[in-house]
Amino acid sequence: MSEEQIAERLRTLETDNALLLQQVKQLEKNLDSLSNGINRGLWIIGGGFIAAIVSWIIGGGLSNGG
């Protein structure tokens, strides 16, 4: 393999590596966004359960019927 072919191969590998690094960064950003959305949804669901329990208690759910 000539020096020119090696240099061309090296340039190709460096370009491919740069593209792969960019894709990894984009995937990390997308994953963070998805994770934040899931966390927000879980907080909303949890808040709904807490509100329902508090409403049940205020409505007399813990009274002994007396």
Side-chain angles (χ1 to χ4, degrees):
M1 203 179 270
S2 73
E3 208 170 299
E4 186 177 317
Q5 289 173 327
I6 292 172
E8 180 62 31
R9 186 171 179 195
L10 181 59
R11 281 190 292 275
T12 302
L13 290 173
E14 288 175 341
T15 302
D16 290 346
N17 189 37
L19 289 172
L20 289 173
L21 286 174
Q22 184 60 34
Q23 287 177 345
V24 168
K25 288 178 185 177
Q26 187 63 37
L27 287 172
E28 286 176 347
K29 191 185 296 185
N30 290 346
L31 187 58
D32 286 343
S33 175
L34 179 64
S35 178
N36 288 337
I38 290 171
N39 286 338
R40 192 175 303 120
L42 290 176
W43 274 106
I44 291 170
I45 291 171
F49 279 119
I50 291 172
I53 290 169
V54 168
S55 176
W56 176 71
I57 291 171
I58 290 173
L62 291 178
S63 65
N64 290 330

